[in-house]
Each structure stands twice: as structure tokens, then as C-alpha cells.
Amino acid sequence: MNVHQISTEPALMSLTEVAQAIAQKRLSSREATKSCLDRIAQWQPHLNAFMAIEADTALAAADAADAAVAKGNLRGALHGVPLAHKDMYYDAGRVVTCGSKIRRDFVPTSTSTALQRLKDAGSIRLGSLQMVEFAYGPTGHNAHYGAVHNPFALDHITGGSSSGSGSAVAARLTFAALGSDTGGSIRMPAHFCGVTGLKTTYGRISRAGAMPLSQSLDTVGPLARTAEDCALLLGLMAGADPEDPTAAGGLVPDYMAATRGEIKGLAIGVPTAFYVDDLDPEVARVLDETIATLKREGATIVQVELPDQRQLTAACHLVVSVEAAAFHKRWLIERPQDYGPQVLMRLQNGLAIPGVSYLEAMRWRGAALAAHNAAVAGVDAVIAPGAPVPAPTIAESDVGNSPDADNVIARLTRFTRPTNYLGLPSLSIPSGFTRNGLPVGMQLIGRSFDEAMLLRIGAAFQRATDFHARVPKLA
Amino acid sequence: MTRPNAKEIKAIADVAGMPVSADIAARIADSIGPAFEGFAAVAGTLPFDLEPASFLLVQTAKVSK
């Protein structure tokens, strides 16, 4: 741990570092919280990453956490650590907007399981983070609350839909943040903003109390600075939940232990097609460099021929379109004028898909996963870019419901949707930068419920590189 | 699977209780067309006994390298 960082700017520490520093009384929760609030005051006018900032209550909670430390009462692994999350996790008694006008004043009466588990571990609340309206969009634009800006280049997008989570973690305004991933909504902000993001296996973390978009595809996961931070959060949140029958039971692996493993002898698959086609040259360069680093660290690189990913993308499109339209049907009838143009357009799409087509897409899912498992039988993980391009500008991707919108959305989500359809875990790790200073991330795609392997590879990569440690600066 | 045209989409939306204009129906047809085309090779080919829950069986099966 860098002592200089503790004495000058605690917000620059990683989640695991700050949690240990507070527990060991080397840093107070107030110092950590104040440091985040100072950076929020500095950056928020430029980023628009926060939906709500709750400075007074955060400092009061920090003081209570410090008093507990003084008495030797630690609540858990996140005691006194300030966090903020995507504004779609229900928190009883607090407004949760879901990035929408429709839920601008919505106050839930219960708290989401994932959030409650982080609270039970001792974390405190800094506020809530911006997001794409109802988590239905890949760019980070929001017709009601404005676009969120990329800390590494303010005129560029963050990616979505966990736009505030990506932006705030990258700018070191929060030590980590919950996101959600239905079609790439954790991995795209991670790729574009240079942070580590974990899309979990479908069923790994309870979805209870998390705003639904597509019940068959929705997943909860963290964005943080390191794979180790993601491991800590996953270990706290994973496991069975009586409130969500789709949450998997059984023992939760020791994900932190996994991050200490080496990658010597592991086999990493490089797709022969699709994920290596039509790449921006700088993304292609970073992919090559990442493969070279993994090889240098002892991994074996193997070519893998995956099943047709375009079919998986199409199936994902059919499923999410119908399920999202069904969730929103009442508001589509009663309040269509209260949606942003692009979200309304995409919700209307689901109305036109016949029930038989939707169910065919659902029926094929098991067979498609079995075919994928057979194709990757010889490797421990598959590597692929998070997106084929670095972050576009906010202006060029502000397409609303224009005829260009479908193309922009399809291009950005090209490398993420297949994984959602198959329900697989995928860890996005900062892997390089373009010549203009834009981050580029790589996905490590694993087997169902084998997040531990991805975190092991990601942590080893981060021990060998420093892309995840680069801090954006305001001009 | 044939992609629905604007006229068919207008009828489907009516049945769903969400009438849309001809313009919107045409826009929807353009938006969802690629999904139907991408899934065309799978649609209509699935075995009789396959049901959505088969996904959970495959997902939880022990898979190792």
C-alpha cells in the first residue's frame, strides 16, 4: 500500500486497501469519505456521474463507523467504506429513479438483497449513480438527466447502461459501484472508462430488489478498480436468496483466494472469428498486447472456433425485447410521453415479436450453451475485446430514435450480447489505451459459475500491468 | 423465420393492446428485422421435447477443461 496515498488522498486507494486501512485504524472512515466527497465536488460538474450526493448523511455514517471501530466493533469486510451504486437498487425509504422520469419520485419499501449484503458488511452510502433510463441503452446518454461523461476524455461517452458507475469508479469518486448487465451494461462502461467490471453468471447474485429489464438475462455485478476488489464484493453478494428463486445455492467459493493464483499452465482461447473481425486498429493492437502479456505470464494461448455468435446475438435481442416490453406495458399505455425517444423506440420493438418466436429463443438457450461449452472444452477462459471500438464522442453517438440508432446500438453491443444469452460470466479488465488516451478493455469469458477462474486471470494480469491504476486528471 | 413487415407489426401491436401508427410500425420492422434474420437458421428446427428449463440443466452441469 502506498503510504503517501493514505496521507494525501485516500480516495485513490483500492477498495481492498481502504477496507483494510479502516479496519486496522490506519485511516478513519471519515477521512476516506471526506476524500471521496472532495473528489465528487471537484468532478461532478464535469461528469454528471451522480444522481444524488448525500454528503451530510455519509459523513454522519462515517463517524458512526469510526466510533464502532474505536470500540472494536467491525460490522464486516467493508466496515466504514463509502460506496455509491447504480440508481436501480432498491433502498427502503430512499428515492430510486431507475434513471427515469416515470420513477423520479419512486420510494421502495424494501432493500435489494445485493445492496443489503454490502450494507451488512459495513459499507456506507455516498449517494446514487446515474444510469441510462431503465438500463436500456449502451451509450450513457439519458434524455431526462443528461449524458454521463468519460473521465479520461470528457467529450466521450462512458458506455451504458451503468454509466455513472463506470464514470465514478474511474474518477475515484467511489471505491466501487454496483452495475447491472443484461446486454453488456457492466462491461461496456468498464471497457470505455478503464475500470474492472464483472458480469456474473446468471443466478450467481440475487436479483431481488434490483429493477428488472429482462428477467431471463439480468445480472448483478460490480465495477471496481481491480479484480481483487470485484472478488471481495462478489464473495459478499453471491449465494442463495429466498427472495429470488433463480439465485443459485450451494457454497460460495473463496474468490479472494482465487485472485492469488498464478496463470502458469492455464489455457486461454482466442476466437478465430467474430470477436477479432472489424476491430478498430487500436483495439486490435491492445488485444494482441494483452495476449502477449498473458503468454509471458505463463498462459498457453489456443485458437477456439466458437459457434455462430450472430445467432446468439439475435436470440438475445428477441428475448430482451419481449421481456422489457412486457415489464413496461402498463407505462407504455399510460405514460408513453414520459419515456426518452430511444428507450420508447426500443420498448415498442418488443410488441412486434410473436410469442412463438420469443419462446423459440428461450427453448434454444440450453442447446446453445451446450454447444458453446463443447467449443471451449480445452480452455479455461476466452479473451475478447469489450467492444470493437474505443469510446465514441457523446455528440456522434447521440442518435436518439433516429434511423442510425439501431446501427450504433448493434455496433457497441456486438461483443457482449452473446454472453448474456448464454448466461456466462465475463470479467472486463483495463488492458491498454489508445494514442488519444482512451481506455480499452478486454473481456475474459468463462464457464457458468466459474467467476473464480476469471478473477484469477484478471488479478494476475493486473499484477503484470498498471492500466487499472491510471487515474484520470481534470485539465 | 420470416421477418414481420410493417402491416403485420401493426396488426400484432393492435392485438397486444398497443396500437402504433404506420410510421412506427415501419420503423419497428426495420429495427427487429436483423434479429429475425439472425435467428432464422434456428427457428423452426428445434426438437419437440426441448423446453426453456434445459438451460438450467446445462448451466449447472459440471463442466471442466
Side-chain angles (χ1 to χ4, degrees):
Chain A
M1 188 184 302
N2 188 325
V3 175
H4 176 71
Q5 286 182 353
I6 292 180
S7 63
T8 58
E9 198 160 8
L12 300 184
M13 299 163 74
S14 74
L15 175 75
T16 47
E17 287 171 342
V18 78
Q20 287 171 10
I22 292 171
Q24 295 167 1
K25 300 184 184 179
R26 289 184 284 114
L27 180 75
S28 69
S29 175
R30 171 171 270 270
E31 288 171 316
T33 304
K34 182 73 168 51
S35 181
C36 289
L37 290 170
D38 288 347
R39 287 187 71 85
I40 292 168
Q42 181 187 16
W43 279 88
Q44 171 66 8
H46 304 279
L47 297 181
N48 190 29
F50 272 72
M51 187 70 80
I53 301 165
E54 299 165 6
D56 291 343
T57 53
L59 288 170
D63 289 342
D66 286 334
V69 172
K71 292 177 184 171
N73 298 328
L74 291 178
R75 286 194 71 187
L78 298 178
H79 186 94
V81 176
L83 297 176
H85 305 294
K86 188 176 186 177
D87 198 23
M88 55 166 273
Y89 288 93
Y90 297 178
D91 195 350
R94 295 179 187 272
V95 171
V96 177
T97 68
C98 304
S100 70
K101 179 179 179 182
I102 289 174
R103 283 201 148 176
R104 190 186 289 272
D105 301 313
F106 170 63
V107 179
T109 55
S110 60
T111 298
S112 76
T113 299
L115 184 56
Q116 187 61 53
R117 288 178 178 177
L118 298 184
K119 285 184 173 190
D120 291 344
S123 70
I124 62 179
R125 176 182 164 107
L126 282 167
S128 58
L129 296 173
Q130 258 263 46
M131 58 182 284
V132 173
E133 182 181 11
F134 289 118
Y136 208 10
T139 61
H141 291 84
N142 185 306
H144 311 294
Y145 302 99
V148 182
H149 298 252
N150 190 317
F152 282 98
L154 295 176
D155 56 342
H156 288 249
I157 65 166
T158 56
S161 64
S162 308
S163 49
S165 302
S167 182
V169 172
R172 275 56 177 173
L173 312 187
T174 176
F175 292 99
L178 286 179
S180 67
D181 198 317
T182 303
S185 287
I186 287 174
R187 290 162 290 159
M188 278 183 286
H191 164 82
F192 290 134
C193 294
V195 303
T196 308
L198 178 61
K199 184 259 178 230
T200 52
T201 305
Y202 179 80
R204 180 67 288 181
I205 298 175
S206 168
R207 295 177 292 110
M211 180 211 78
L213 173 61
S214 170
Q215 75 272 12
S216 300
L217 306 177
D218 290 342
T219 55
V220 172
L223 293 96
R225 298 168 198 179
T226 66
E228 189 181 34
D229 292 351
C230 288
L232 175 60
L233 294 168
L234 177 60
L236 293 169
M237 293 187 288
D241 177 18
E243 300 297 322
D244 177 5
T246 66
L251 278 180
V252 174
D254 184 346
Y255 296 112
M256 288 295 279
T259 64
R260 295 187 281 274
E262 295 184 354
I263 59 172
K264 191 175 181 182
L266 297 183
I268 296 176
V270 179
T272 54
F274 189 76
Y275 294 101
V276 293
D277 299 336
D278 302 321
L279 296 181
D280 175 279
E282 299 225 62
V283 174
R285 170 182 58 79
V286 172
L287 174 61
D288 289 343
E289 291 170 355
T290 305
I291 291 169
T293 299
L294 293 169
K295 200 170 177 180
R296 209 162 42 240
E297 293 301 304
T300 302
I301 306 300
V302 180
Q303 297 275 306
V304 291
E305 194 168 333
L306 299 173
D308 188 340
Q309 302 292 291
R310 290 165 301 180
Q311 293 177 350
L312 303 175
T313 300
C316 181
H317 192 169
L318 293 172
V319 172
V320 71
S321 297
V322 172
E323 294 186 353
F327 276 118
H328 284 267
K329 186 174 176 188
R330 178 174 169 186
W331 289 330
L332 285 170
I333 293 170
E334 296 176 353
R335 306 180 62 175
Q337 73 282 1
D338 289 336
Y339 287 100
Q342 187 179 97
V343 174
L344 178 63
M345 172 191 88
R346 299 186 72 193
L347 289 171
Q348 287 172 328
N349 288 347
L351 302 171
I353 296 169
V356 170
S357 300
Y358 164 74
L359 272 172
E360 277 192 302
M362 289 298 293
R363 290 174 65 221
W364 185 53
R365 210 174 170 201
L369 178 58
H372 172 88
N373 288 344
V376 301
V379 300
D380 295 286
V382 172
I383 188 167
V389 293
T393 65
I394 289 172
E396 72 184 310
S397 55
D398 188 13
V399 288
N401 61 354
S402 73
D404 284 345
D406 290 315
N407 288 334
V408 169
I409 293 166
R411 182 162 168 74
L412 294 180
T413 59
R414 184 173 137 211
F415 293 162
T416 50
R417 282 181 168 177
T419 315
N420 292 89
Y421 180 69
L422 297 175
L424 295 169
S426 174
L427 179 70
S428 178
I429 49 173
S431 302
F433 287 82
T434 67
R435 277 186 290 277
N436 292 332
L438 292 169
V440 174
M442 291 294 146
Q443 296 184 74
L444 295 164
I445 303 167
R447 294 191 172 80
S448 303
F449 297 107
D450 196 8
E451 282 85 354
M453 177 60 73
L454 306 183
L455 293 164
R456 175 180 168 183
I457 299 168
F461 181 79
Q462 291 181 336
R463 284 194 292 273
T465 61
D466 71 350
F467 304 117
H468 62 287
R470 299 196 188 173
V471 181
K473 291 183 172 61
L474 274 176
Chain B
M1 180 164 43
T2 308
R3 59 190 282 177
N5 60 35
K7 189 177 174 185
E8 291 163 338
I9 285 170
K10 196 164 181 346
I12 294 170
D14 283 348
V15 171
M18 283 288 308
V20 295
S21 68
D23 284 351
I24 289 177
R27 199 272 307 149
I28 293 173
D30 287 341
S31 280
I32 65 174
F36 281 88
E37 286 162 5
F39 198 64
V42 179
T45 68
L46 299 177
F48 175 75
D49 291 325
L50 194 63
E51 62 169 283
S54 61
F55 170 71
L56 297 176
L57 290 175
V58 179
Q59 191 196 36
T60 53
K62 185 71 182 168
V63 180
S64 58
K65 187 173 67 168

